[in-house]
Amino acid sequence: GVTSWVTAVVGWLKAGYPDGVPEADYVPLLAVLTRRLSADEVRAVAAQLVGDGRLPIDDIDIGT
């Protein structure tokens, strides 16, 4: 389901960005994810990374 797919993507991103996603990388990264994930899945991935302190954005940025 969506939850397992989101968990897999978050795990992959955490492995690739162990210190968090740099500010210069998060917009292109999320743009690439939209090619493979639905808008709801991208929001879920972003929210998880923000919650873990690994993405330098907030809920407003996620919605945008």
Side-chain angles (χ1 to χ4, degrees):
V2 170
T3 303
S4 63
W5 185 225
V6 168
T7 301
V9 171
V10 169
W12 176 75
L13 291 171
K14 285 180 179 180
Y17 293 99
D19 297 324
V21 179
E23 192 166 336
D25 289 359
Y26 78 83
V27 171
L29 175 67
L30 294 178
V32 168
L33 290 179
T34 61
R35 293 181 185 168
R36 300 282 184 190
L37 304 176
S38 71
D40 287 340
E41 290 168 330
V42 171
R43 279 192 288 275
V45 167
Q48 180 66 47
L49 292 172
V50 168
D52 291 346
R54 294 178 179 270
L55 196 61
I57 60 175
D58 59 25
D59 290 339
I60 294 169
D61 294 319
I62 292 171
T64 301

Short mmCIF file of all heavy atoms in Angstrom, two decimals:
data_model
loop_
_atom_site.label_atom_id
_atom_site.label_comp_id
_atom_site.label_asym_id
_atom_site.label_seq_id
_atom_site.Cartn_x
_atom_site.Cartn_y
_atom_site.Cartn_z
N GLY A 1 0.81 -1.18 0.00
CA GLY A 1 0.00 0.00 0.00
C GLY A 1 0.86 1.25 0.00
O GLY A 1 2.08 1.21 -0.11
N VAL A 2 0.21 2.37 0.15
CA VAL A 2 0.88 3.67 0.16
C VAL A 2 1.87 3.75 1.31
O VAL A 2 2.99 4.22 1.13
CB VAL A 2 -0.16 4.82 0.25
CG1 VAL A 2 0.53 6.15 0.50
CG2 VAL A 2 -0.99 4.87 -1.01
N THR A 3 1.49 3.27 2.47
CA THR A 3 2.36 3.38 3.64
C THR A 3 3.68 2.66 3.43
O THR A 3 4.74 3.21 3.72
CB THR A 3 1.65 2.83 4.89
OG1 THR A 3 0.43 3.54 5.06
CG2 THR A 3 2.51 3.00 6.11
N SER A 4 3.65 1.45 2.89
CA SER A 4 4.90 0.72 2.69
C SER A 4 5.76 1.39 1.62
O SER A 4 6.99 1.42 1.73
CB SER A 4 4.62 -0.74 2.32
OG SER A 4 3.92 -0.83 1.10
N TRP A 5 5.14 1.95 0.60
CA TRP A 5 5.88 2.63 -0.47
C TRP A 5 6.52 3.89 0.07
O TRP A 5 7.68 4.18 -0.19
CB TRP A 5 4.92 2.92 -1.61
CG TRP A 5 5.50 3.52 -2.85
CD1 TRP A 5 4.97 4.54 -3.54
CD2 TRP A 5 6.67 3.15 -3.57
NE1 TRP A 5 5.75 4.83 -4.64
CE2 TRP A 5 6.80 3.99 -4.68
CE3 TRP A 5 7.65 2.19 -3.40
CZ2 TRP A 5 7.84 3.92 -5.60
CZ3 TRP A 5 8.69 2.10 -4.30
CH2 TRP A 5 8.78 2.95 -5.38
N VAL A 6 5.78 4.67 0.86
CA VAL A 6 6.31 5.88 1.49
C VAL A 6 7.46 5.53 2.42
O VAL A 6 8.51 6.17 2.40
CB VAL A 6 5.20 6.66 2.22
CG1 VAL A 6 5.78 7.76 3.10
CG2 VAL A 6 4.21 7.25 1.21
N THR A 7 7.29 4.49 3.22
CA THR A 7 8.35 4.05 4.13
C THR A 7 9.60 3.66 3.36
O THR A 7 10.72 4.01 3.76
CB THR A 7 7.86 2.86 4.99
OG1 THR A 7 6.70 3.28 5.72
CG2 THR A 7 8.92 2.39 5.95
N ALA A 8 9.45 2.98 2.25
CA ALA A 8 10.60 2.57 1.44
C ALA A 8 11.32 3.79 0.86
O ALA A 8 12.56 3.85 0.88
CB ALA A 8 10.15 1.64 0.31
N VAL A 9 10.57 4.76 0.37
CA VAL A 9 11.18 5.97 -0.20
C VAL A 9 11.89 6.77 0.88
O VAL A 9 13.02 7.23 0.68
CB VAL A 9 10.12 6.83 -0.94
CG1 VAL A 9 10.70 8.17 -1.34
CG2 VAL A 9 9.59 6.09 -2.16
N VAL A 10 11.25 6.91 2.04
CA VAL A 10 11.88 7.64 3.15
C VAL A 10 13.17 6.94 3.57
O VAL A 10 14.20 7.60 3.78
CB VAL A 10 10.91 7.79 4.35
CG1 VAL A 10 11.63 8.30 5.59
CG2 VAL A 10 9.77 8.73 3.99
N GLY A 11 13.16 5.63 3.66
CA GLY A 11 14.38 4.88 4.00
C GLY A 11 15.48 5.10 2.98
O GLY A 11 16.65 5.28 3.34
N TRP A 12 15.13 5.10 1.72
CA TRP A 12 16.10 5.32 0.65
C TRP A 12 16.70 6.72 0.74
O TRP A 12 17.91 6.91 0.60
CB TRP A 12 15.39 5.10 -0.69
CG TRP A 12 16.22 5.37 -1.89
CD1 TRP A 12 17.21 4.59 -2.40
CD2 TRP A 12 16.13 6.51 -2.75
NE1 TRP A 12 17.73 5.18 -3.53
CE2 TRP A 12 17.10 6.35 -3.76
CE3 TRP A 12 15.32 7.64 -2.76
CZ2 TRP A 12 17.27 7.29 -4.78
CZ3 TRP A 12 15.49 8.57 -3.77
CH2 TRP A 12 16.47 8.39 -4.76
N LEU A 13 15.85 7.71 1.01
CA LEU A 13 16.33 9.09 1.13
C LEU A 13 17.21 9.27 2.36
O LEU A 13 18.21 9.99 2.31
CB LEU A 13 15.16 10.07 1.15
CG LEU A 13 14.41 10.19 -0.17
CD1 LEU A 13 13.14 11.01 0.01
CD2 LEU A 13 15.29 10.80 -1.23
N LYS A 14 16.85 8.65 3.45
CA LYS A 14 17.67 8.74 4.66
C LYS A 14 19.05 8.13 4.42
O LYS A 14 20.05 8.64 4.91
CB LYS A 14 16.98 8.06 5.84
CG LYS A 14 15.84 8.86 6.39
CD LYS A 14 15.20 8.13 7.57
CE LYS A 14 14.06 8.91 8.17
NZ LYS A 14 13.46 8.18 9.30
N ALA A 15 19.11 7.04 3.67
CA ALA A 15 20.40 6.41 3.36
C ALA A 15 21.22 7.31 2.45
O ALA A 15 22.44 7.44 2.62
CB ALA A 15 20.17 5.05 2.70
N GLY A 16 20.58 7.96 1.49
CA GLY A 16 21.28 8.82 0.55
C GLY A 16 21.66 10.17 1.14
O GLY A 16 22.61 10.81 0.68
N TYR A 17 20.91 10.61 2.12
CA TYR A 17 21.15 11.90 2.78
C TYR A 17 21.20 11.70 4.29
O TYR A 17 20.29 12.13 5.01
CB TYR A 17 20.04 12.90 2.43
CG TYR A 17 19.98 13.32 0.99
CD1 TYR A 17 19.08 12.74 0.11
CD2 TYR A 17 20.80 14.34 0.52
CE1 TYR A 17 19.01 13.14 -1.21
CE2 TYR A 17 20.74 14.76 -0.80
CZ TYR A 17 19.84 14.15 -1.66
OH TYR A 17 19.77 14.56 -2.97
N PRO A 18 22.23 11.04 4.80
CA PRO A 18 22.27 10.72 6.23
C PRO A 18 22.25 11.95 7.15
O PRO A 18 21.83 11.84 8.30
CB PRO A 18 23.56 9.93 6.39
CG PRO A 18 24.38 10.25 5.19
CD PRO A 18 23.42 10.59 4.10
N ASP A 19 22.68 13.10 6.65
CA ASP A 19 22.68 14.32 7.46
C ASP A 19 21.50 15.22 7.12
O ASP A 19 21.46 16.38 7.55
CB ASP A 19 23.99 15.09 7.26
CG ASP A 19 25.19 14.29 7.74
OD1 ASP A 19 25.06 13.57 8.75
OD2 ASP A 19 26.25 14.37 7.09
N GLY A 20 20.55 14.73 6.36
CA GLY A 20 19.41 15.52 5.94
C GLY A 20 19.60 16.01 4.52
O GLY A 20 20.70 16.02 3.99
N VAL A 21 18.50 16.40 3.91
CA VAL A 21 18.53 16.89 2.53
C VAL A 21 18.97 18.35 2.53
O VAL A 21 18.34 19.18 3.18
CB VAL A 21 17.14 16.76 1.87
CG1 VAL A 21 17.17 17.29 0.44
CG2 VAL A 21 16.66 15.31 1.89
N PRO A 22 20.05 18.67 1.82
CA PRO A 22 20.50 20.07 1.76
C PRO A 22 19.43 20.96 1.13
O PRO A 22 18.68 20.52 0.26
CB PRO A 22 21.75 20.03 0.88
CG PRO A 22 22.18 18.60 0.88
CD PRO A 22 20.94 17.78 1.08
N GLU A 23 19.40 22.20 1.55
CA GLU A 23 18.38 23.13 1.06
C GLU A 23 18.39 23.23 -0.46
O GLU A 23 17.34 23.32 -1.10
CB GLU A 23 18.58 24.51 1.69
CG GLU A 23 17.41 25.43 1.45
CD GLU A 23 17.43 26.66 2.34
OE1 GLU A 23 18.04 26.62 3.40
OE2 GLU A 23 16.83 27.65 1.92
N ALA A 24 19.56 23.19 -1.07
CA ALA A 24 19.66 23.31 -2.53
C ALA A 24 19.14 22.07 -3.26
O ALA A 24 18.87 22.13 -4.45
CB ALA A 24 21.12 23.57 -2.93
N ASP A 25 18.99 20.96 -2.56
CA ASP A 25 18.60 19.71 -3.21
C ASP A 25 17.13 19.34 -3.07
O ASP A 25 16.63 18.51 -3.82
CB ASP A 25 19.42 18.55 -2.64
CG ASP A 25 20.87 18.56 -3.07
OD1 ASP A 25 21.26 19.46 -3.83
OD2 ASP A 25 21.62 17.68 -2.61
N TYR A 26 16.42 19.93 -2.10
CA TYR A 26 15.09 19.39 -1.85
C TYR A 26 14.07 19.68 -2.95
O TYR A 26 13.24 18.83 -3.25
CB TYR A 26 14.56 19.77 -0.47
CG TYR A 26 14.02 21.17 -0.32
CD1 TYR A 26 12.72 21.48 -0.69
CD2 TYR A 26 14.81 22.19 0.22
CE1 TYR A 26 12.23 22.76 -0.54
CE2 TYR A 26 14.31 23.46 0.38
CZ TYR A 26 13.02 23.74 0.00
OH TYR A 26 12.54 25.00 0.15
N VAL A 27 14.14 20.82 -3.61
CA VAL A 27 13.18 21.11 -4.68
C VAL A 27 13.37 20.15 -5.86
O VAL A 27 12.41 19.51 -6.30
CB VAL A 27 13.24 22.59 -5.12
CG1 VAL A 27 12.40 22.81 -6.38
CG2 VAL A 27 12.77 23.50 -4.00
N PRO A 28 14.61 19.99 -6.37
CA PRO A 28 14.76 19.02 -7.47
C PRO A 28 14.43 17.59 -7.04
O PRO A 28 13.87 16.82 -7.82
CB PRO A 28 16.24 19.12 -7.86
CG PRO A 28 16.79 20.32 -7.20
CD PRO A 28 15.84 20.70 -6.10
N LEU A 29 14.75 17.25 -5.80
CA LEU A 29 14.46 15.91 -5.30
C LEU A 29 12.95 15.65 -5.29
O LEU A 29 12.49 14.62 -5.79
CB LEU A 29 15.04 15.73 -3.90
CG LEU A 29 14.71 14.42 -3.21
CD1 LEU A 29 15.39 13.27 -3.93
CD2 LEU A 29 15.14 14.46 -1.76
N LEU A 30 12.20 16.58 -4.76
CA LEU A 30 10.75 16.41 -4.72
C LEU A 30 10.16 16.41 -6.13
O LEU A 30 9.20 15.70 -6.41
CB LEU A 30 10.10 17.47 -3.84
CG LEU A 30 10.44 17.38 -2.36
CD1 LEU A 30 9.78 18.51 -1.58
CD2 LEU A 30 10.07 16.03 -1.76
N ALA A 31 10.75 17.19 -7.04
CA ALA A 31 10.28 17.19 -8.43
C ALA A 31 10.48 15.82 -9.06
O ALA A 31 9.62 15.33 -9.79
CB ALA A 31 11.02 18.26 -9.22
N VAL A 32 11.61 15.18 -8.78
CA VAL A 32 11.87 13.84 -9.31
C VAL A 32 10.87 12.84 -8.71
O VAL A 32 10.35 11.97 -9.42
CB VAL A 32 13.33 13.40 -9.03
CG1 VAL A 32 13.52 11.93 -9.30
CG2 VAL A 32 14.28 14.23 -9.87
N LEU A 33 10.59 12.98 -7.43
CA LEU A 33 9.65 12.05 -6.79
C LEU A 33 8.26 12.15 -7.40
O LEU A 33 7.55 11.15 -7.47
CB LEU A 33 9.57 12.32 -5.28
CG LEU A 33 10.79 11.95 -4.46
CD1 LEU A 33 10.56 12.29 -2.99
CD2 LEU A 33 11.15 10.48 -4.60
N THR A 34 7.86 13.35 -7.86
CA THR A 34 6.52 13.48 -8.44
C THR A 34 6.38 12.70 -9.74
O THR A 34 5.26 12.44 -10.18
CB THR A 34 6.15 14.97 -8.69
OG1 THR A 34 7.06 15.54 -9.61
CG2 THR A 34 6.12 15.76 -7.40
N ARG A 35 7.48 12.31 -10.33
CA ARG A 35 7.41 11.47 -11.54
C ARG A 35 7.01 10.04 -11.20
O ARG A 35 6.51 9.31 -12.05
CB ARG A 35 8.75 11.45 -12.25
CG ARG A 35 9.13 12.78 -12.83
CD ARG A 35 10.46 12.68 -13.52
NE ARG A 35 10.91 13.99 -13.98
CZ ARG A 35 12.11 14.23 -14.41
NH1 ARG A 35 13.01 13.27 -14.46
NH2 ARG A 35 12.44 15.43 -14.81
N ARG A 36 7.29 9.61 -9.97
CA ARG A 36 7.04 8.22 -9.57
C ARG A 36 5.92 8.07 -8.55
O ARG A 36 5.35 7.00 -8.43
CB ARG A 36 8.31 7.63 -8.94
CG ARG A 36 9.49 7.62 -9.85
CD ARG A 36 9.38 6.50 -10.82
NE ARG A 36 10.57 6.44 -11.63
CZ ARG A 36 10.69 5.69 -12.67
NH1 ARG A 36 9.72 4.92 -13.04
NH2 ARG A 36 11.80 5.70 -13.38
N LEU A 37 5.65 9.14 -7.79
CA LEU A 37 4.68 9.07 -6.71
C LEU A 37 3.51 10.00 -6.96
O LEU A 37 3.65 11.00 -7.66
CB LEU A 37 5.34 9.47 -5.37
CG LEU A 37 6.59 8.69 -4.95
CD1 LEU A 37 7.15 9.29 -3.67
CD2 LEU A 37 6.28 7.22 -4.76
N SER A 38 2.39 9.70 -6.34
CA SER A 38 1.25 10.61 -6.42
C SER A 38 1.55 11.84 -5.56
O SER A 38 2.47 11.84 -4.73
CB SER A 38 -0.02 9.92 -5.90
OG SER A 38 0.06 9.76 -4.49
N ALA A 39 0.75 12.88 -5.73
CA ALA A 39 0.93 14.09 -4.93
C ALA A 39 0.78 13.78 -3.44
O ALA A 39 1.54 14.28 -2.61
CB ALA A 39 -0.07 15.16 -5.36
N ASP A 40 -0.17 12.91 -3.09
CA ASP A 40 -0.36 12.55 -1.68
C ASP A 40 0.86 11.79 -1.14
O ASP A 40 1.26 11.99 0.00
CB ASP A 40 -1.61 11.69 -1.50
CG ASP A 40 -2.89 12.50 -1.65
OD1 ASP A 40 -2.84 13.75 -1.52
OD2 ASP A 40 -3.94 11.88 -1.91
N GLU A 41 1.44 10.93 -1.96
CA GLU A 41 2.63 10.18 -1.53
C GLU A 41 3.82 11.11 -1.35
O GLU A 41 4.57 10.97 -0.39
CB GLU A 41 2.95 9.08 -2.54
CG GLU A 41 1.94 7.95 -2.53
CD GLU A 41 2.09 7.00 -3.71
OE1 GLU A 41 2.55 7.44 -4.79
OE2 GLU A 41 1.74 5.83 -3.55
N VAL A 42 3.99 12.08 -2.25
CA VAL A 42 5.09 13.04 -2.11
C VAL A 42 4.91 13.84 -0.84
O VAL A 42 5.86 14.06 -0.08
CB VAL A 42 5.20 13.96 -3.35
CG1 VAL A 42 6.20 15.09 -3.10
CG2 VAL A 42 5.61 13.15 -4.57
N ARG A 43 3.67 14.28 -0.56
CA ARG A 43 3.41 15.01 0.68
C ARG A 43 3.71 14.15 1.90
O ARG A 43 4.27 14.64 2.89
CB ARG A 43 1.96 15.49 0.72
CG ARG A 43 1.73 16.76 -0.08
CD ARG A 43 0.36 17.37 0.20
NE ARG A 43 -0.72 16.59 -0.39
CZ ARG A 43 -1.13 16.72 -1.65
NH1 ARG A 43 -0.55 17.57 -2.46
NH2 ARG A 43 -2.12 15.98 -2.10
N ALA A 44 3.37 12.88 1.84
CA ALA A 44 3.64 11.98 2.97
C ALA A 44 5.14 11.79 3.18
O ALA A 44 5.63 11.80 4.32
CB ALA A 44 2.96 10.63 2.75
N VAL A 45 5.90 11.63 2.10
CA VAL A 45 7.36 11.50 2.20
C VAL A 45 7.95 12.77 2.78
O VAL A 45 8.75 12.74 3.72
CB VAL A 45 7.99 11.18 0.82
CG1 VAL A 45 9.50 11.35 0.85
CG2 VAL A 45 7.62 9.77 0.37
N ALA A 46 7.54 13.92 2.25
CA ALA A 46 8.06 15.20 2.72
C ALA A 46 7.71 15.41 4.19
O ALA A 46 8.56 15.84 4.99
CB ALA A 46 7.51 16.34 1.87
N ALA A 47 6.49 15.10 4.57
CA ALA A 47 6.07 15.28 5.97
C ALA A 47 6.91 14.41 6.90
O ALA A 47 7.31 14.84 7.99
CB ALA A 47 4.59 14.96 6.12
N GLN A 48 7.18 13.18 6.49
CA GLN A 48 7.99 12.29 7.31
C GLN A 48 9.41 12.84 7.46
O GLN A 48 9.98 12.83 8.55
CB GLN A 48 8.04 10.89 6.70
CG GLN A 48 8.86 9.89 7.48
CD GLN A 48 8.26 9.59 8.84
OE1 GLN A 48 7.06 9.34 8.94
NE2 GLN A 48 9.06 9.62 9.87
N LEU A 49 9.99 13.32 6.37
CA LEU A 49 11.34 13.87 6.42
C LEU A 49 11.40 15.15 7.26
O LEU A 49 12.35 15.36 8.01
CB LEU A 49 11.87 14.12 5.01
CG LEU A 49 12.13 12.86 4.18
CD1 LEU A 49 12.45 13.25 2.74
CD2 LEU A 49 13.24 12.01 4.77
N VAL A 50 10.37 15.99 7.14
CA VAL A 50 10.31 17.21 7.97
C VAL A 50 10.19 16.81 9.44
O VAL A 50 10.87 17.37 10.29
CB VAL A 50 9.13 18.12 7.53
CG1 VAL A 50 8.87 19.21 8.56
CG2 VAL A 50 9.42 18.73 6.18
N GLY A 51 9.33 15.86 9.73
CA GLY A 51 9.14 15.39 11.11
C GLY A 51 10.41 14.85 11.72
O GLY A 51 10.64 14.97 12.93
N ASP A 52 11.25 14.25 10.88
CA ASP A 52 12.52 13.69 11.35
C ASP A 52 13.63 14.74 11.36
O ASP A 52 14.78 14.43 11.69
CB ASP A 52 12.97 12.53 10.44
CG ASP A 52 12.08 11.31 10.56
OD1 ASP A 52 11.28 11.23 11.51
OD2 ASP A 52 12.19 10.43 9.70
N GLY A 53 13.32 15.97 10.94
CA GLY A 53 14.33 17.03 10.89
C GLY A 53 15.32 16.87 9.75
O GLY A 53 16.42 17.40 9.79
N ARG A 54 14.93 16.16 8.70
CA ARG A 54 15.83 15.89 7.58
C ARG A 54 15.53 16.70 6.33
O ARG A 54 16.21 16.57 5.32
CB ARG A 54 15.80 14.41 7.22
CG ARG A 54 16.35 13.53 8.31
CD ARG A 54 16.23 12.07 7.92
NE ARG A 54 16.78 11.22 8.93
CZ ARG A 54 18.04 10.82 8.97
NH1 ARG A 54 18.89 11.22 8.06
NH2 ARG A 54 18.45 10.02 9.93
N LEU A 55 14.50 17.53 6.39
CA LEU A 55 14.13 18.34 5.24
C LEU A 55 13.89 19.76 5.73
O LEU A 55 13.06 19.96 6.62
CB LEU A 55 12.87 17.76 4.58
CG LEU A 55 12.51 18.20 3.18
CD1 LEU A 55 13.61 17.84 2.18
CD2 LEU A 55 11.21 17.56 2.75
N PRO A 56 14.60 20.76 5.18
CA PRO A 56 14.56 22.12 5.71
C PRO A 56 13.36 22.94 5.23
O PRO A 56 13.50 24.04 4.72
CB PRO A 56 15.88 22.72 5.21
CG PRO A 56 16.08 22.06 3.89
CD PRO A 56 15.57 20.64 4.09
N ILE A 57 12.16 22.36 5.35
CA ILE A 57 10.95 23.07 4.94
C ILE A 57 9.90 22.85 6.02
O ILE A 57 10.12 22.13 6.98
CB ILE A 57 10.44 22.60 3.56
CG1 ILE A 57 10.10 21.10 3.58
CG2 ILE A 57 11.45 22.92 2.48
CD1 ILE A 57 9.48 20.60 2.27
N ASP A 58 8.74 23.48 5.85
CA ASP A 58 7.66 23.28 6.81
C ASP A 58 6.39 22.85 6.08
O ASP A 58 6.42 22.61 4.86
CB ASP A 58 7.41 24.55 7.63
CG ASP A 58 7.07 25.77 6.78
OD1 ASP A 58 6.56 25.59 5.65
OD2 ASP A 58 7.31 26.90 7.24
N ASP A 59 5.29 22.73 6.82
CA ASP A 59 4.05 22.24 6.23
C ASP A 59 3.56 23.11 5.09
O ASP A 59 2.98 22.62 4.13
CB ASP A 59 2.97 22.12 7.30
CG ASP A 59 3.23 21.00 8.28
OD1 ASP A 59 4.00 20.08 7.94
OD2 ASP A 59 2.67 21.03 9.39
N ILE A 60 3.75 24.42 5.18
CA ILE A 60 3.33 25.32 4.11
C ILE A 60 4.11 25.02 2.84
O ILE A 60 3.55 24.95 1.75
CB ILE A 60 3.48 26.79 4.53
CG1 ILE A 60 2.51 27.09 5.68
CG2 ILE A 60 3.25 27.74 3.36
CD1 ILE A 60 2.72 28.41 6.36
N ASP A 61 5.43 24.82 2.98
CA ASP A 61 6.25 24.48 1.82
C ASP A 61 5.82 23.16 1.20
O ASP A 61 5.82 23.02 -0.02
CB ASP A 61 7.73 24.40 2.20
CG ASP A 61 8.31 25.73 2.63
OD1 ASP A 61 7.99 26.75 1.99
OD2 ASP A 61 9.09 25.74 3.58
N ILE A 62 5.47 22.21 2.02
CA ILE A 62 5.04 20.91 1.51
C ILE A 62 3.80 21.08 0.65
O ILE A 62 3.70 20.53 -0.43
CB ILE A 62 4.75 19.91 2.66
CG1 ILE A 62 6.05 19.54 3.38
CG2 ILE A 62 4.06 18.65 2.12
CD1 ILE A 62 5.84 18.74 4.64
N GLY A 63 2.85 21.87 1.12
CA GLY A 63 1.62 22.10 0.36
C GLY A 63 1.87 22.79 -0.96
O GLY A 63 1.20 22.52 -1.94
N THR A 64 2.86 23.66 -0.98
CA THR A 64 3.19 24.38 -2.19
C THR A 64 3.84 23.47 -3.19
O THR A 64 3.60 23.47 -4.35
CB THR A 64 4.13 25.57 -1.88
OG1 THR A 64 3.46 26.40 -0.94
CG2 THR A 64 4.46 26.36 -3.11
#
